Amino acid sequence: MTDKPLSTKDFYYDLPDHLIAQTPSPDRDGSRLMLLDRNTGEVSHHIFRDIIDYLQPGDVLVLNESKVIPARIYGKKIAENSTVAVEFLLLKQLEEDIWEVLLHPGRRLKPGAAVSFGDGLLCADILETVEDGNRIVRFSYDRTQYRNLYEVLDIIGNMPLPPYITAKLEDKSRYQTVYAKHEGSAAAPTAGLHFTPELLDRIREKGVEIVPVMLHVGLGTFRPVKVDNVEDHVMHAEYFSVSEDAAEKVNRAKAEGRRIIAVGTTSVRTLESATDENGVLHAMSGDTRIFIYPGYRFRCVDCLITNFHLPESTLLMLISALTSREMVLNAYAEAIREEYRFFSFGDAMFITDHTEPFEGK
């Protein structure tokens, strides 16, 4: 590990408010792209669709196929003469219609209370209180009309945008990757928002292998680190899954000396959670609390496509582990000078070991 304990303050930087992207780029692949050489710290500036020039045949691009659900819903407490407005944010599915939720106002919704959403389209019974004041709830709806809860949420739910985005999202699909398949995330794996179907087709045609994994992004991704000593921070749990096919493809590529390029920190956490000390990726699923910060030895991932992250966040710590804290903060200072757009709807960074274009587009 590092010689002296890392402080959360070591990952602070000052960001002007106007650089926090409030809306998506007009074109997914038209956002800006910074290349960061993980070995030298050198940076260069590009457009995201040009990333294909910096990928080579044989590379493995690992995508997180988790799909964001419209997890924020508004309703009313079911009680005589009640006018209490209620907000739920669905965090984690425990059983088919039983979920852990963050709710407001919590003090008015104790176990035994009931809530109605969408004029009775969806109801929820509060079962118990758990860690952080969250609740376990059971949802009910007309099963003759809707196959599952997700169909109801598509009607009454809102996308759970991060708290730093205050603008209204006009098109819900823009907070979703084009390859999202498996419902369950309370936030988007935002590095993947830059890809279009056409760009992915061109990448495949170049000979890059695309491998899907899955990690459901939880609300904890936005929670600040509240301890001073980084090592004292406890990560939130997130559900992930790696298939037999994905493991086989990644292991074959590693054995042949080909690069494993993760799209997003969630793909990194998935791969590193399922890779053993010998560098072998295993097919598995379950919860992970893996916390990656400088000093961590990567077992699987070689390069990373990511967005620009919040100061003092676990995501900033993770990318610093792949290169160095100093190189990342220097690159962020350059991005601020160049007025890159930051956070979920912002621009992208490719942390790579090869910053010259590869021939053969």
Side-chain angles (χ1 to χ4, degrees):
M1 305 304 292
T2 52
D3 294 331
K4 73 178 185 68
L6 281 170
S7 168
T8 300
K9 296 182 180 65
D10 291 334
F11 296 89
Y12 177 80
Y13 68 91
D14 189 33
L15 180 71
D17 287 344
H18 74 277
L19 296 184
I20 300 175
Q22 292 294 320
T23 56
S25 170
D27 301 312
R28 285 181 183 265
D29 61 357
S31 55
R32 298 171 74 184
L33 172 69
M34 173 182 282
L35 254 62
L36 170 62
D37 188 316
R38 59 175 293 193
N39 299 312
T40 68
E42 180 184 354
V43 302
S44 56
H45 308 287
H46 311 270
I47 300 300
F48 188 83
R49 66 178 66 94
D50 297 333
I51 197 167
I52 191 169
D53 298 339
Y54 300 90
L55 302 175
Q56 62 179 322
D59 283 344
V60 174
L61 200 64
V62 180
L63 312 176
N64 178 9
E65 289 189 330
S66 182
K67 188 173 186 177
V68 187
I69 59 175
R72 193 181 301 277
I73 53 178
Y74 301 93
K76 292 183 178 180
K77 181 178 179 182
I78 301 175
E80 187 175 352
N81 299 321
S82 174
T83 58
V84 176
V86 175
E87 177 186 341
F88 274 22
L89 181 61
L90 281 65
L91 299 179
K92 185 178 181 180
Q93 185 178 29
L94 305 177
E95 297 178 33
E96 184 177 4
D97 290 320
I98 297 180
W99 284 71
E100 179 179 349
V101 304
L102 175 68
L103 52 79
H104 179 80
R107 70 184 186 280
R108 306 288 291 272
L109 293 169
K110 302 188 185 317
V115 181
S116 172
F117 303 92
D119 295 324
L121 195 64
L122 179 67
C123 293
D125 295 308
I126 312 296
L127 302 181
E128 61 178 295
T129 302
V130 292
E131 183 183 8
D132 296 329
N134 296 340
R135 303 291 196 275
I136 305 299
V137 305
R138 177 187 289 112
F139 289 105
S140 57
Y141 46 90
D142 186 349
R143 287 186 166 275
T144 65
Q145 191 171 358
Y146 304 103
R147 290 177 301 170
N148 52 46
L149 177 62
Y150 299 119
E151 290 191 351
V152 183
L153 293 176
D154 281 340
I155 298 171
I156 66 171
N158 299 272
M159 280 299 190
L161 295 178
Y164 48 75
I165 295 178
T166 57
K168 179 177 174 57
L169 180 62
E170 299 298 334
D171 179 1
K172 286 199 291 190
S173 72
R174 291 305 308 274
Y175 195 58
Q176 202 81 265
T177 64
V178 297
Y179 47 79
K181 286 186 179 179
H182 310 290
E183 289 108 336
S185 276
T190 54
L193 296 179
H194 303 283
F195 288 94
T196 65
E198 295 77 16
L199 179 57
L200 288 169
D201 286 343
R202 290 178 58 213
I203 288 171
R204 290 187 188 93
E205 290 167 3
K206 189 171 183 178
V208 175
E209 193 169 14
I210 296 179
V211 173
V213 295
M214 195 278 295
L215 181 142
H216 288 325
V217 187
L219 186 67
T221 193
F222 301 120
R223 285 181 178 156
V225 178
K226 295 182 178 179
V227 295
D228 181 58
N229 186 340
V230 167
E231 295 180 22
D232 293 336
H233 178 67
V234 178
M235 285 291 286
H236 55 286
E238 292 175 317
Y239 181 81
F240 75 96
S241 179
V242 176
S243 68
E244 292 278 1
D245 183 63
E248 190 275 329
K249 288 177 178 176
V250 168
N251 289 329
R252 184 173 65 244
K254 293 290 284 186
E256 295 173 357
R258 295 187 275 131
R259 299 191 303 176
I260 307 302
I261 302 171
V263 176
T265 57
T266 59
S267 296
V268 174
R269 296 185 70 227
T270 301
L271 292 170
E272 294 296 320
S273 296
T275 301
D276 65 26
E277 293 182 355
N278 297 315
V280 177
L281 179 64
H282 297 272
M284 64 171 63
S285 60
D287 285 345
T288 179
R289 289 183 178 269
I290 191 170
F291 182 21
I292 297 174
Y293 54 91
Y296 178 84
R297 182 179 66 85
F298 284 84
R299 301 170 176 179
C300 185
V301 173
D302 299 304
C303 305
L304 169 63
I305 299 167
T306 188
N307 278 18
F308 290 89
H309 302 294
L310 275 72
E312 300 184 346
S313 64
T314 59
L315 306 182
L316 187 59
M317 295 171 190
L318 183 153
I319 68 168
S320 297
L322 191 59
T323 169
S324 76
R325 181 182 67 88
E326 293 77 14
M327 288 182 186
V328 166
L329 291 179
N330 286 338
Y332 271 46
E334 171 87 356
I336 291 169
R337 286 192 295 272
E338 293 293 325
E339 300 222 321
Y340 274 64
R341 302 169 78 237
F342 277 63
F343 307 159
S344 295
F345 286 141
D347 296 316
M349 172 185 281
F350 184 17
I351 303 175
T352 178
D353 57 359
H354 189 101
T355 55
E356 293 298 320
F358 291 102
E359 294 184 4
K361 297 183 181 180

